Amino acid sequence: MTLAHEQPGCLGAESARGADGLGITVSYFRDEDAVHAWKQHARHLGAQKLGKERWYAHYELRVAKVERAYSGPQGR
């Protein structure tokens, strides 16, 4: 996550993992160009390779656009 936060256009990330090992990480980037640059970053490519070879039997990736975000109880 530290490396991702150093990337131009990275707006932040959130991560959580349950006791059963199931986890989720959501990274936020300014735009599609910033996402593409992160996807092609050499150290990130290395981490992706290790993930596929050693860490994950299965993973899913979703790319989505956040249209609105707020928190409560006063969020709008």
Side-chain angles (χ1 to χ4, degrees):
M1 279 231 240
T2 301
L3 184 61
H5 283 108
E6 295 172 355
Q7 298 311 298
C10 181
L11 303 175
E14 300 166 318
S15 187
R17 184 165 304 279
D20 63 356
L22 180 63
I24 182 171
T25 299
V26 180
S27 301
Y28 302 95
F29 287 87
R30 176 188 62 237
D31 55 27
E32 191 70 26
D33 289 338
V35 171
H36 183 72
W38 172 235
K39 178 83 172 141
Q40 299 305 313
H41 188 282
R43 285 183 55 199
H44 186 219
L45 287 169
Q48 290 175 55
K49 185 174 189 242
L50 282 174
K52 291 173 186 174
E53 293 173 355
R54 297 184 188 175
W55 301 325
Y56 303 112
H58 174 79
Y59 67 90
E60 295 184 30
L61 175 74
R62 294 181 178 99
V63 177
K65 184 176 181 180
V66 176
E67 296 290 338
R68 181 174 23 295
Y70 57 88
S71 57
Q74 301 299 321
R76 301 212 190 294

